[in-house]
Amino acid sequence: MENNVLVEVKNLKKYFKVGKDATLKAVDNVSFNIKKGETLGLVGESGCGKTTCGRTVLGLYGATDGEVLFEGIDIHKLKGAKKREFTKNAQIIFQDPYASLNPRMTVGEIIAEGIDIHGLYTGEKRQERIYHLLNLVGLNKEHASRFPHEFSGGQRQRIGIARALAVEPKFIVCDEPISALDVSIQAQVVNLLIKLQRELGLTYLFIAHDLSMVKHISDRVGVMYLGTMVELASSKALYEKPLHPYTQALLSAIPIPDPDVEKNRQRIMLEGEVPSPINPKPGCRFAARCKYAKQVCSEVSPELKEVEKDHFVACHLFNE
Ligand code: SF4
């Protein structure tokens, strides 16, 4: 493993049994790594497995197969003190700031929970740390004694960020942290996450379905479709020259802020139904909606291959 890699995901699978003979393959043989200080964006339509992937990477779900290495050690095999150390180092920011904060706890108590569990600070130092964290996320010490319902959506997400930072993590899974917020607030939260990353040297897995925001924050982006990774490239390469037919369709749906360009924008309409991730058919999972599909596509699953430097695609169009 390269020594600048913090997280390495190898052939990860997360299946759920649904009924007697049915298996939902939420994450199916997904591999990627995240370098220290980097943001990897993970995008795809709802139900593509990106949130399940993020939670399995954090160990919140056990893996059906495959490995998640954090600093070279498989997190699914950790026990006792080593496991506690990992839960301190790897945190999550949830999608819904309304649901993820305990309404009966003050903001100070919410932020201090992790500090207390891991025994990081006590007494005055603990109080100072809470105030410092509030400051860091753009709030102030008067907010510590208030309750979550007294805050706006954007402010609650800032509290969620302060809670994640309280235990001095190295890695944060940002699970659609802006999806529940007004568009006007989304950019503020993304800019705060970028600022914190620079100041604290954080590494992010940033999960989203909003492709334009992912571009703004990510160094590299992975695109998921029905439990599989279909394309992985630098943010620049993916947005300027998407290679997978699904990525091309997703990107063509983003409105362009220039009215002249927007008028002539060619949208690629996705045809066919989204197949079910339960007992998926063999072959490429995108085949039913892909205008380039050929015989082999419904027979053999395409593997993720490097087709240009650091640009990986899973599609038979690139196997010739
Ligand atoms: Fe389309 Fe075939 Fe490529 Fe799948 S493998 S995206 S069906 S061309």
Side-chain angles (χ1 to χ4, degrees):
M1 189 172 69
E2 291 172 55
N3 61 7
N4 65 342
V5 170
L6 186 68
V7 180
E8 192 173 12
V9 175
K10 288 184 181 175
N11 307 107
L12 188 66
K13 294 182 184 173
K14 179 62 194 172
Y15 296 172
F16 297 95
K17 275 263 165 235
V18 280
K20 217 163 130 252
D21 301 312
T23 303
L24 189 156
K25 298 189 173 179
V27 178
D28 202 10
N29 211 17
V30 166
S31 299
F32 57 86
N33 60 36
I34 313 176
K35 299 185 189 89
K36 286 177 188 154
E38 176 184 52
T39 297
L40 179 74
L42 201 55
V43 299
E45 293 164 294
S46 97
C48 72
K50 55 193 190 300
T51 286
T52 304
C53 183
R55 291 181 181 201
T56 314
V57 166
L58 278 181
L60 300 177
Y61 293 148
T64 305
D65 201 1
E67 290 181 321
V68 177
L69 307 180
F70 183 82
E71 298 181 323
I73 296 165
D74 189 350
I75 64 118
H76 290 286
K77 294 192 178 136
L78 293 175
K79 291 197 174 78
K82 293 267 180 217
K83 189 168 184 177
R84 272 198 303 283
E85 175 76 14
F86 172 72
T87 58
K88 182 185 109 45
N89 278 329
Q91 289 287 306
I92 185 165
I93 298 168
F94 293 99
Q95 173 179 1
D96 187 352
Y98 297 90
S100 68
L101 303 175
N102 186 333
R104 284 183 291 277
M105 287 167 79
T106 65
V107 167
E109 287 165 348
I110 289 169
I111 294 174
E113 241 188 333
I115 297 176
D116 297 341
I117 288 169
H118 293 282
L120 298 178
Y121 299 95
T122 53
E124 229 172 82
K125 284 240 160 69
R126 175 180 176 275
Q127 203 56 38
E128 276 169 24
R129 176 83 184 141
I130 294 166
Y131 295 157
H132 172 70
L133 286 159
L134 285 168
N135 224 324
L136 210 56
V137 298
L139 298 171
N140 60 56
K141 63 182 194 181
E142 279 73 46
H143 291 132
S145 54
R146 302 216 203 138
F147 289 88
H149 74 265
E150 298 176 60
F151 294 88
S152 67
Q155 286 175 318
R156 286 185 227 205
Q157 198 51 292
R158 287 172 191 268
I159 297 165
I161 295 169
R163 174 177 57 184
L165 294 177
V167 292
E168 297 161 15
K170 296 178 180 174
F171 172 55
I172 301 182
V173 172
C174 307
D175 183 11
E176 303 221 35
I178 53 171
S179 308
L181 303 176
D182 284 355
V183 177
S184 58
I185 307 296
Q186 290 182 355
Q188 290 176 16
V189 172
V190 166
N191 288 335
L192 172 64
L193 288 168
I194 293 171
K195 175 179 101 76
L196 292 169
Q197 180 173 45
R198 285 198 196 117
E199 288 175 9
L200 306 172
L202 297 164
T203 302
Y204 294 145
L205 177 63
F206 190 93
I207 298 168
H209 61 260
D210 182 328
L211 283 144
S212 42
M213 275 301 168
V214 170
K215 180 184 179 187
H216 189 55
I217 191 168
S218 306
D219 300 292
R220 289 184 302 136
V221 177
V223 180
M224 283 187 73
Y225 186 78
L226 277 186
T228 62
M229 185 76 86
V230 297
E231 188 160 2
L232 179 63
S234 73
S235 197
K236 188 171 182 319
L238 193 101
Y239 284 84
E240 287 180 3
K241 194 182 165 197
L243 298 178
H244 194 282
Y246 177 61
T247 315
Q248 290 171 354
L250 276 186
L251 287 173
S252 79
I254 299 180
I256 298 163
D258 179 329
D260 292 331
V261 183
E262 172 65 14
K263 204 167 57 199
N264 299 317
R265 176 165 63 98
Q266 297 277 313
R267 282 200 64 172
I268 303 169
M269 300 306 288
L270 285 174
E271 288 171 8
E273 286 183 23
V274 184
S276 167
I278 298 172
N279 295 346
K281 289 186 191 153
C284 173
R285 300 216 174 144
F286 189 56
R289 302 168 87 189
C290 179
K291 63 179 177 182
Y292 305 107
K294 43 192 181 173
Q295 184 72 25
V296 65
C297 301
S298 53
E299 292 166 354
V300 181
S301 297
E303 281 181 27
L304 194 70
K305 284 190 181 158
E306 189 170 21
V307 298
E308 290 177 11
K309 185 159 170 21
D310 299 325
H311 196 147
F312 299 79
V313 185
C315 173
H316 289 304
L317 293 177
F318 299 90
N319 282 348
E320 287 145 3

